[in-house]
Amino acid sequence: MAENMEQSTSLQRIEGSVERVIYANEDNGYTICDMASSEDGEIITAVGIMPMIGAGDHLCVYGQWTHNPKYGRQFSVSQYERVMPADTASILRYLSSRAIKGIGPKTAQRIVEEFGEDSFDVIENHPEWLASIKGISMKTALAASESFREQAGIRSAMIFFRDYFGVATTVKIYKQWGARAVDIAKKNPYRLCNEIDGIGFERADSMAQKLGFDADHLERLMSGILYVLSQNSAQNGHVCFPRAKLVPMAAQLLSVEQESAARALSMLLQNRSVRVVRRGEDEMVYDAASYDAEKYIAEKMILLEDHCASVDLQDIDRFIEGEEAKSGIRYASLQKRAMADALRYGVMILTGGPGTGKTTVVRALIHIFDSMGYDIALAAPTGRAAKRLSEATSMEAKTIHRLLEMTYGEGERSTFLKNEDDLLEEQVIIIDEASMIDNLLMCALLKAIKPGARLILIGDADQLPSVGAGNVLRDLIKSERFATVRLNEIFRQAQESLIVTNAHRINRGEMPDLSVKDNDFFFLRRGGDHEIALTIADLCKNRLPRTYGEMAKQGIQVIAPSRKGESGTESLNVLLQATLNPPSPRLRETKFRDRIFREGDRVMQTRNNYDMLWTRIYDDRMGNGIFNGDIGHIEEIDLSNKEMTILFDDRRVIYDFSFLEDLEHAYAVTVHKSQGSEYPIVILPMCSAAAMLLSRNLLYTAVTRAQTMAILVGREEIVREMVENDRQTMRYTGLSEWLAR
C-alpha cells in the first residue's frame, strides 16, 4: 500500500481510525495523529488541518507522503472526511474510545448490545431510550446526545463548506454558530460576511449565487451596502459616507438599479444597522458601531473636561518653577503653557514637530504629577512607540491594547477587560503618538478612563492619520474644544540636525536642502526605478556597513511610499533578501504562499497577537504579546517541528508555521507601517508612485522616522512633487461636529 502511494504525485487516499491525537491546535485545527489503516492495520502518522478529531474517529484522509527529518515518514493531509462506522464492531470501537461525552467502554458495550447498528441513530435522535440501560441516567443520555450532535455538526459543516472555503475558515464558522452553521448559511449566506472575520462580501455573494439567491434579494442588497461602508472604512479611513455617494456606489457594485439600493438602505435604517446624521447639505451614513463610537468619544471627552479638578494657578507656577530648579532646564513659554494647561484642564493636547521639546514636557509633567501623588499611565498605539516612550521617560509605557488588557472572546473577536465596568485606576493618562489612534481604539480607551482623571494626548498632527478609520487627533484640535498647545520652536541642539530642519522645511512646503554632504541628511540622485533599487541594495550591503561598521546592518530601514513598483516594498524586499541574505546550504528556509522565509531574514509582525509567548533573552523572563509593526530577525527554522524562532529586540518567540500569514519581510516597509517607530538610518526611494502617495505629509512622516541619518535616493522632481502636494488625506468623519454641538 505504502509503496504504491509514494509513486503517485496526485492526492492519495487512506481510510482508517484515529488511534491517538499527538498534537492539536484548537485555533486553526492543525493536528498530528496516529491512524490505523483500514486496509492492513498499519499505523501511520497523519499531519494537517483536521479540526476537532479524537481517538476512535474514522477518517478518510487525502494527501501525500512526506519525510520528516526528525520524525520520519508522515502523511501530509490536504483534505479529510469523517466517516461514521457502520458495522457493530466498528461502532463499539468508536463508542469505547470515549469520543462521546459520558460513554466509556462498559457503557458502549451495553448500548451496542441493546441497539446494534441503530446505536448512533438512538444517541442522536432518541436519547431518552438510552436511559433505559443500566448505568445511564437521563442527564448522561442527554449529554451524550448533545456531544454526538456537536460532532455531527462539524462533520456536516466540513462537507457543506468545503466547496466554498478552506478548513481553517470552516472551523471559524463552526466556532461562531456551532451545529446551526449549515442551516444559518443556507438561509442567509450574507451573514457570513457580516459576522465572520475574514469572509468578505464577494465570497459570501459567490456562495449565495450557487445556492440560487437572486441579484435583487434584500439580504444581498443590505449586505452589499454594509460592505461598501466597511470598504470605505478599511481602505480610505472614512467613519461615515455621504448618502448621495453611497447609493450609486452600492448599486454599481451589486449591478442593480439605484432604487433597489435605496430601498435596502431604508431597511437598514429601520433595523438600525446604519444611522444617518445630517451635516449641512449632506446626509452622512454610519454603520451602527462607527456611529456609537464617534458619538461616545465626543460625550466622554467633554465629560473628562468638565469633571476634572483644576490646580490653583499659584500652585501651577510653583510646580513648574520647582521642576526647572530640579532639572536645570529653563522651559520655553509654550512648554510652560502646555504644563499649565495639563494641570488646569481635564484634557490637554500637545502637538509639534521633531526637536520642539514634546518629550521634555512629558518628563516634566510626570515629575510634577508624581510629586502630587497621582498615579500615571503611559501608553502609545504601537509596541515600538511604547518602547521609545519608556526609554525617553525612564518609566514603563504600554501599548494602549495592553493597558486596556485586550483579550479574545468567542469567535476570536478582541475585547478589552478594562472598560466601563472595570475602569483604569490611574488619575493621569498620557498617550504618545496620538495621531495613530483610530476611532474604535479611542472609544475603547475612553471607556476605561474614570471621570475626574486627566487625559493628555501627545502627537504630531502633521503626520499621516491613523491606519484605521477616523482622524481623531486632527478632529479634536479642529473642534477647538480642548486646550491645545502647538510647539514650534526648534531647540538649539536640534537645529544642528539637518533631519530636523529639513523635516520642518518640508512641513512648511519648502524644499529640503539636498546639497549638504557632511550632515545627517543626504540626497543621492538616481534616474530610473531600477537604478534606485540597485543603489539602495548597494547602500545596505556595502557602502553604509563599510562606513559605519557592522552595526549599520541592523540599524538600516528602507521606507518606501508604495508597495508596488520596482522601488516599492514588495520588489525591494525580494531584492534586499537576495542581496543581504541569499540562499545558502547553511541557512534553512521554508516557503509560505509566495514568500520564502530564511534564517537571518528581517521580518515584521503584521497584526497584534496578544497571546504569542516570548522569553526575554537576558533574564529568561516570560511574557506574551507581539504587535503589528514589531520587527525582528529569524534565528532558526525547525522544519521537523514546523516552527520558527524569531528574535524581536530582546524577546525570543517561537512561531508555529500556522502563524506565518502574520509575517512579512521587513527589509523595506511602507511609510504607513513605519508610523510610531524610529530607526538609526532610514533610506527613502524617491520614485514614481500613485499620486495620492506622493504627498507632503507622507514625506514628512518618513523623514521624521530617522534618528541619526536620512538618505533620499532618486529623482529631485519627485521630492519637489511631494513637498508641493499638500493634499491632506480626506476622510469623512464627524467628531469635530459632534464636539461643536
Side-chain angles (χ1 to χ4, degrees):
M1 176 192 72
E3 282 26 296
N4 291 337
M5 286 185 175
E6 287 176 328
Q7 290 172 7
S8 174
T9 57
S10 60
L11 288 182
Q12 300 149 44
R13 176 184 181 276
I14 298 177
E15 184 174 338
S17 59
V18 177
E19 295 293 307
R20 68 180 180 122
V21 175
I22 301 169
Y23 170 80
N25 185 317
E26 292 184 2
D27 290 331
N28 57 27
Y30 181 79
T31 303
I32 303 173
C33 67
D34 282 342
M35 286 178 58
S37 168
S38 298
E39 183 176 332
D40 55 15
E42 178 187 359
I43 302 297
I44 67 166
T45 300
V47 179
I49 305 294
M50 297 176 285
M52 302 181 192
I53 67 168
D57 280 348
H58 202 78
L59 306 180
C60 281
V61 293
Y62 302 84
Q64 293 181 343
W65 287 101
T66 60
H67 183 80
N68 185 297
K70 186 173 182 179
Y71 297 104
R73 188 164 167 268
Q74 296 180 337
F75 192 76
S76 179
V77 177
S78 299
Q79 303 172 23
Y80 86 105
E81 296 174 356
R82 271 189 174 89
V83 180
M84 295 307 292
D87 61 275
T88 54
S90 298
I91 292 172
L92 176 60
R93 187 168 181 276
Y94 178 80
L95 293 178
S96 299
S97 69
R98 301 185 187 275
I100 298 176
K101 184 178 180 181
I103 298 179
K106 290 182 179 179
T107 307
Q109 182 73 39
R110 296 191 189 108
I111 292 173
V112 175
E113 286 175 355
E114 181 71 22
F115 301 111
E117 293 181 358
D118 295 326
S119 296
F120 288 154
D121 179 61
V122 170
I123 294 171
E124 181 175 7
N125 300 309
H126 306 286
E128 67 278 6
W129 294 2
L130 296 177
S132 65
I133 296 176
K134 183 181 177 181
I136 302 181
S137 66
M138 182 60 73
K139 182 178 179 181
T140 300
L142 293 174
S145 182
E146 182 180 353
S147 175
F148 186 84
R149 284 197 300 270
E150 181 178 336
Q151 293 178 31
I154 187 63
R155 281 197 302 275
S156 64
M158 288 296 167
I159 293 170
F160 177 75
F161 289 112
R162 68 185 175 189
D163 294 333
Y164 309 106
F165 310 113
V167 177
T169 301
T170 300
V171 172
K172 193 180 291 187
I173 296 168
Y174 187 80
K175 281 187 173 183
Q176 180 80 2
W177 292 331
R180 301 177 302 125
V182 173
D183 290 337
I184 290 173
K186 284 182 176 178
K187 184 177 180 181
N188 180 8
Y190 295 101
R191 285 185 62 180
L192 289 164
C193 59
N194 296 333
E195 300 179 33
I196 309 295
D197 290 337
I199 298 181
F201 174 78
E202 293 99 332
R203 295 173 76 188
D205 195 36
S206 174
M207 178 179 174
Q209 289 177 29
K210 292 176 183 177
L211 292 174
F213 279 67
D214 294 332
D216 271 333
H217 195 285
L218 184 59
E219 293 291 349
R220 177 176 189 263
L221 301 181
M222 291 194 297
S223 292
I225 289 171
L226 292 174
Y227 173 71
V228 172
L229 284 175
S230 69
Q231 286 296 98
N232 272 291
S233 172
Q235 296 181 3
N236 302 316
H238 300 314
V239 178
C240 49
F241 205 64
R243 186 173 192 161
K245 293 184 177 182
L246 176 62
V247 170
M249 190 178 290
Q252 182 178 7
L253 169 75
L254 298 166
S255 299
V256 297
E257 297 297 326
Q258 290 192 25
E259 291 77 6
S260 298
R263 283 196 301 272
L265 178 58
S266 297
M267 184 59 68
L268 287 169
L269 281 166
Q270 285 182 37
N271 64 29
R272 299 182 70 78
S273 295
V274 300
R275 310 289 176 84
V276 171
V277 177
R278 177 168 288 282
R279 296 213 170 92
E281 297 299 315
D282 294 323
E283 285 187 320
M284 307 304 294
V285 182
Y286 291 78
D287 66 63
S290 298
Y291 174 88
D292 291 341
E294 193 171 73
K295 188 168 182 285
Y296 182 88
I297 293 170
E299 292 171 348
K300 186 61 178 283
M301 291 287 288
I302 292 170
L303 181 71
L304 291 177
E305 176 71 6
D306 292 345
H307 284 71
C308 183
S310 179
V311 177
D312 185 86
L313 289 175
Q314 291 183 343
D315 290 335
I316 290 174
D317 291 338
R318 179 170 54 83
F319 281 129
I320 295 174
E321 290 168 3
E323 187 57 32
E324 282 185 323
K326 290 177 187 176
S327 64
I329 298 174
R330 192 75 175 169
Y331 298 118
S333 58
L334 282 176
Q335 289 179 315
K336 290 181 179 179
R337 179 184 152 194
M339 295 177 207
D341 285 351
L343 290 165
R344 289 179 63 193
Y345 303 113
V347 176
M348 194 278 284
I349 300 169
L350 178 62
T351 186
T356 56
K358 296 191 299 293
T359 303
T360 301
V361 173
V362 173
R363 281 196 291 258
L365 286 173
I366 289 172
H367 296 155
I368 291 171
F369 284 124
D370 185 59
S371 71
M372 297 169 67
Y374 287 178
D375 291 329
I376 306 165
L378 295 184
T382 67
R384 295 182 75 88
K387 183 179 179 183
R388 287 196 298 107
L389 183 59
S390 294
E391 293 169 348
T393 60
S394 301
M395 178 180 172
E396 183 188 12
K398 302 177 180 179
T399 64
I400 297 174
H401 298 81
R402 185 172 292 282
L403 178 70
L404 301 181
E405 299 179 15
M406 183 175 178
T407 186
Y408 285 94
E410 289 298 319
E412 298 183 353
R413 291 181 182 272
S414 59
T415 57
F416 295 105
L417 298 181
K418 289 295 180 182
N419 51 41
E420 291 166 303
D421 298 321
D422 185 11
L423 297 168
L424 295 167
E425 292 296 325
E426 291 84 359
Q427 296 102 331
V428 179
I429 314 294
I430 300 177
I431 306 295
D432 197 17
E433 296 286 356
S435 63
M436 298 177 65
I437 302 176
D438 61 41
N439 266 37
L440 293 180
L441 183 57
M442 188 65 179
C443 178
L445 172 65
L446 290 171
K447 284 183 177 179
I449 299 177
K450 61 185 179 183
R454 283 175 166 78
L455 175 62
I456 300 169
L457 299 173
I458 318 292
D460 188 342
D462 295 317
Q463 289 190 18
L464 292 172
S466 58
V467 174
N471 209 343
V472 174
L473 184 63
R474 285 188 188 172
D475 281 352
L476 293 175
I477 294 172
K478 179 183 174 183
S479 75
E480 300 183 351
R481 190 69 186 257
F482 309 104
T484 301
V485 177
R486 178 183 286 272
L487 300 178
N488 50 31
E489 178 184 352
I490 305 175
F491 289 94
R492 185 169 56 188
Q493 62 271 29
Q495 290 176 355
E496 300 172 2
S497 166
L498 203 56
I499 293 174
V500 173
T501 56
N502 272 342
H504 283 272
R505 288 172 67 90
I506 291 167
N507 202 30
R508 293 193 300 266
E510 303 169 9
M511 276 291 286
D513 188 342
L514 305 180
S515 62
V516 178
K517 302 297 182 184
D518 59 353
N519 205 294
D520 56 5
F521 187 103
F522 301 90
F523 178 66
L524 301 179
R525 286 176 174 81
R526 296 294 185 272
D529 289 0
H530 181 67
E531 186 184 5
I532 293 171
L534 291 178
T535 300
I536 290 172
D538 183 49
L539 283 168
C540 293
K541 181 175 175 61
N542 300 311
R543 295 172 63 177
L544 290 171
R546 188 165 57 235
T547 304
Y548 298 99
E550 195 68 21
M551 289 177 59
K553 287 187 177 180
Q554 292 302 321
I556 300 170
Q557 183 60 60
V558 179
I559 301 177
S562 173
R563 297 181 67 91
K564 304 300 180 182
E566 199 165 359
S567 291
T569 59
E570 292 178 358
S571 295
L572 283 172
N573 272 317
V574 174
L575 173 63
L576 292 172
Q577 182 192 39
T579 303
L580 303 175
N581 193 35
S584 166
R586 297 180 294 103
L587 299 175
R588 287 180 290 259
E589 60 183 48
T590 185
K591 186 173 182 179
F592 180 80
R593 295 177 182 162
D594 60 343
R595 298 184 186 129
I596 294 175
F597 291 106
R598 183 175 299 130
E599 290 176 336
D601 272 346
R602 185 177 172 90
V603 292
M604 173 184 281
Q605 174 77 7
T606 59
R607 76 174 182 91
N608 293 330
N609 187 328
Y610 297 89
D611 298 322
M612 189 73 79
L613 294 175
W614 50 257
T615 304
R616 202 179 298 280
I617 57 177
Y618 56 78
D619 61 6
D620 290 331
R621 184 171 76 84
M622 299 186 70
N624 59 300
I626 298 296
F627 305 105
N628 184 9
D630 282 355
I631 290 179
H633 72 273
I634 301 172
E635 284 191 315
E636 181 183 2
I637 295 176
D638 185 342
L639 296 172
S640 303
N641 292 321
K642 296 186 182 300
E643 292 178 343
M644 183 183 294
T645 303
I646 302 178
L647 187 64
F648 293 94
D649 296 325
D650 58 357
R651 298 164 297 157
R652 182 172 282 117
V653 183
I654 296 177
Y655 275 69
D656 185 277
F657 279 6
S658 60
F659 289 105
L660 294 187
E661 64 182 354
D662 297 338
L663 289 176
E664 61 183 34
H665 290 102
Y667 297 102
V669 301
T670 63
V671 180
H672 287 88
K673 281 290 186 184
S674 74
Q675 282 181 271
S677 301
E678 286 185 351
Y679 312 94
I681 301 173
V682 166
I683 302 176
L684 308 173
M686 293 289 100
C687 55
S688 52
M692 62 182 295
L693 295 174
L694 298 180
S695 66
R696 181 187 302 174
N697 66 340
L698 190 138
L699 178 60
Y700 172 75
T701 301
V703 168
T704 55
R705 300 307 91 205
Q707 292 173 312
T708 58
M709 186 179 301
I711 303 173
L712 276 59
V713 182
R715 303 192 289 277
E716 185 171 342
E717 63 265 26
I718 297 295
V719 181
R720 186 176 303 280
E721 181 178 346
M722 296 183 78
V723 169
E724 293 176 352
N725 179 10
D726 192 28
R727 185 179 64 183
Q728 300 292 328
T729 304
M730 196 283 293
R731 292 190 168 187
Y732 290 114
T733 67
L735 181 56
S736 60
E737 284 82 359
W738 284 113
L739 289 166
R741 292 184 180 184

